[in-house]
């Protein structure tokens, strides 16, 4: 394929996703909207125009926000051999590596949420993620023995962090980190930080479904975010009205594969070694912080209703899950979630 053809196809993909982003339908309005392909997904930034900011200036600011997302991707992606995460993933048991404060802090936060979610969210899940990726490629479910081998390398309590020296090490050989369940939310938060620092007060950053609604769409309206129906792309399941809130949805309908007629999620239960079952269709979290929303949405797909009880005890987060009851879909939510839908 010629480079021009590749570019044309890429442009077409970007344009179609700009109209329709996975999980969300954004309302069109008087906004500047920019889209890029980053972190393996479509990232969209929409800024509500105000009289003292012209569109050209706003575009320069959004370009800086996209640059920040690209930088974050360079730190946390397992697909770049030189990223800090890839360097960490080459460590043998007991070897120590000095890492940036940024990587240290996000890993530390992820470990804290491993405890808060009773083990459901676990960034050491990579050996299992890789095992199931190989299963998908080979069209063959892993054997219980293979699951056992990978599972033995999983566990956030096997990570050793040294706060003073900012070093990381693993207690076991073969351990590896995957921050895929939090990095997009974190990148969203960083991009929002750039917008705010540049004087933008009203915007939406959407990193492939990990969103933050900054300020309002207009004087009278909050940002409107539609959560897509998990089984029908053209239908909206729910509409939210948000101001200064992150929202994120994880579910079995975004990324999955089918083996022997069964649907396998990309989210793994780190306690069993198997992808989560299909009784929890999706989980949506509204939180003050994007990384927190990202983490909790992934964790809720593992925990289901039990997870809602955990979220209920946390400040700054609300959530709902869509569960299968027979052939029907049912929404179960935390006490305050519905209030956020009715604004
Ligand atoms: P998300 O789309 O935010 O729910 O994140 C899913 C991604 O996080 C997967 O593609 C894996 O890379 C990783 N992952 C899978 N299962 C878990 C888990 N139980 N805890 C943390 N990360 C996970
Ligand atoms: Mg997540």
């Amino acid at each position: 394929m010629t480079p021009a053809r590749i570019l044309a196809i890429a442009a077409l993909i970007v344009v179609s996703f700009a109209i329709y982003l996975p999980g969300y339908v954004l309302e069109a309005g008087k906004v500047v909207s920019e889209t890029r392909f980053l972190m393996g997904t479509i990232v969209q930034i929409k800024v509500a125009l105000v009289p003292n900011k012209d569109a050209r200036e706003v575009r320069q600011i959004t370009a800086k926000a996209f640059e920040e997302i690209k930088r974050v991707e360079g730190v946390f992606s397992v697909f770049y051999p030189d990223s800090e995460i890839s360097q960490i993933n080459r460590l043998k048991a007991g070897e120590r590596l000095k890492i940036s404060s940024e990587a240290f802090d996000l890993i530390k936060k992820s470990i804290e949420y491993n405890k808060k979610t009773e083990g459901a969210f676990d960034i050491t899940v990579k050996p299992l993620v890789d095992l199931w990726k190989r299963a998908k490629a080979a069209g063959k479910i892993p054997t219980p023995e293979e699951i056992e081998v990978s599972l033995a390398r999983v566990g956030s309590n096997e990570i050793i962090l040294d706060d003073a020296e900012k070093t990381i090490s693993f207690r076991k050989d073969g351990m590896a980190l995957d921050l895929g369940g939090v990095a997009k939310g974190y990148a969203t938060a960083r991009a929002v930080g750039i917008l705010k620092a540049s004087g933008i007060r009203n915007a939406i950053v959407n990193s492939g479904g990990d969103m933050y609604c900054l300020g309002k769409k207009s004087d009278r309206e909050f940002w409107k975010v539609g959560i897509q129906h998990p089984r029908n792309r053209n239908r909206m399941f729910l509409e939210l009205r948000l101001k200064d809130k992150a929202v994120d949805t994880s579910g079995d309908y975004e990324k999955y594969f089918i083996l022997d007629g069964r649907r396998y999620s990309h989210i793994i239960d780190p306690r069993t070694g198997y992808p989560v079952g299909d009784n929890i269709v999706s989980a949506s979290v509204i939180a003050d912080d994007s990384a927190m929303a990202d983490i909790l949405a992934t964790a809720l797909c593992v925990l289901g209703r039990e997870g809602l009880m955990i979220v209920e005890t946390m400040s700054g987060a609300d959530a709902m899950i869509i569960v299968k009851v027979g052939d029907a879909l049912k929404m179960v939510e935390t006490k305050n979630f519905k209030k956020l839908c009715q604004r």
Side-chain angles (χ1 to χ4, degrees):
M1 213 183 295
T2 62
R5 200 174 156 80
I6 294 170
L7 260 181
I9 294 172
L12 193 72
I13 295 169
V14 168
V15 169
S16 26
F17 273 94
I19 298 159
Y20 200 85
L21 282 153
Y24 298 95
V25 188
L26 291 179
E27 201 199 34
K30 212 178 160 202
V31 292
V32 162
S33 175
E34 293 279 311
T35 308
R36 301 273 199 289
F37 191 78
L38 290 164
M39 302 187 290
T41 193
I42 305 293
V43 181
Q44 186 183 44
I45 300 181
K46 281 191 166 200
V47 177
L49 281 179
V50 288
N52 60 342
K53 282 249 186 294
D54 74 289
R56 221 176 113 246
E57 189 192 343
V58 168
R59 283 207 175 84
Q60 281 166 358
I61 297 169
T62 57
K64 275 203 280 177
F66 283 123
E67 273 308 311
E68 177 64 4
I69 293 176
K70 202 169 163 190
R71 189 195 62 77
V72 170
E73 182 183 14
V75 176
F76 293 104
S77 173
V78 290
F79 300 108
Y80 299 130
D82 294 336
S83 70
E84 282 201 78
I85 286 297
S86 294
Q87 290 177 42
I88 292 170
N89 288 349
R90 288 193 285 270
L91 290 176
K92 295 198 178 66
E95 264 176 12
R96 294 206 312 170
L97 182 73
K98 194 169 171 62
I99 55 176
S100 66
S101 297
E102 181 176 41
F104 191 92
D105 291 347
L106 195 60
I107 291 168
K108 195 171 173 184
K109 186 176 190 147
S110 300
I111 297 172
E112 280 162 17
Y113 275 96
N114 173 258
K115 294 199 183 76
K116 286 181 187 166
T117 61
E118 293 167 6
F121 183 81
D122 198 329
I123 53 168
T124 64
V125 77
K126 190 165 188 299
L128 288 165
V129 170
D130 290 346
L131 179 68
W132 283 95
K133 268 191 193 149
R134 288 198 297 274
K136 179 185 171 184
K140 206 166 144 272
I141 295 162
T143 63
E145 292 74 30
E146 286 173 320
I147 302 262
E148 229 15 78
V149 170
S150 297
L151 203 51
R153 297 171 176 162
V154 173
S156 282
N157 46 1
E158 309 292 351
I159 304 174
I160 305 161
L161 292 180
D162 184 326
D163 275 281
E165 299 287 328
K166 294 273 182 284
T167 61
I168 183 167
S169 60
F170 294 138
R171 285 207 172 85
K172 293 180 181 172
D173 276 333
M175 287 182 68
L177 306 183
D178 176 349
L179 273 77
V182 56
K184 285 206 287 252
Y186 173 72
T188 300
R190 293 291 310 186
V192 169
I194 298 283
L195 298 180
K196 278 164 86 171
S198 308
I200 302 279
R201 295 282 162 263
N202 305 287
I204 283 192
V205 177
N206 184 349
S207 304
D210 286 277
M211 296 183 91
Y212 189 87
C213 301
L214 175 68
K216 300 200 277 188
K217 183 173 174 282
S218 68
D219 282 344
R220 280 167 288 118
E221 288 169 289
F222 280 19
W223 288 106
K224 236 190 247 182
V225 176
I227 294 183
Q228 179 196 308
H229 192 286
R231 293 289 181 258
N232 183 345
R233 268 194 160 272
N234 302 317
R235 260 178 66 197
M236 211 189 279
F237 188 83
L238 195 72
E239 196 173 71
L240 303 169
R241 303 274 202 283
L242 300 172
K243 176 180 174 276
D244 296 327
K245 289 280 180 194
V247 56
D248 182 29
T249 296
S250 279
D252 70 354
Y253 60 95
E254 296 166 68
K255 281 190 217 149
Y256 63 89
F257 60 100
I258 294 180
L259 263 184
D260 297 339
R262 234 200 91 181
R263 183 195 274 257
Y264 288 93
S265 169
H266 66 303
I267 298 171
I268 313 279
D269 186 336
R271 301 162 308 180
T272 65
Y274 285 83
V276 297
D278 62 358
N279 50 331
I280 303 153
V281 175
S282 72
S284 298
V285 177
I286 298 170
D288 294 338
D289 167 63
S290 298
M292 182 189 195
D294 194 357
I295 290 174
L296 291 178
T298 307
L300 278 168
C301 288
V302 177
L303 293 168
R305 289 171 199 251
E306 240 180 88
L308 288 177
M309 276 148 56
I310 295 175
V311 174
E312 204 81 77
T313 65
M314 292 177 177
S315 70
D318 270 286
M320 69 94 163
I321 54 173
I322 301 176
V323 290
K324 259 204 329 210
V325 183
D327 285 340
L329 296 181
K330 187 171 180 266
M331 172 171 149
V332 194
E333 70 279 333
T334 57
K335 275 196 230 89
N336 283 323
F337 189 88
K338 279 230 169 91
K339 282 187 201 151
L340 297 157
C341 314
Q342 287 159 0
R343 285 234 180 86

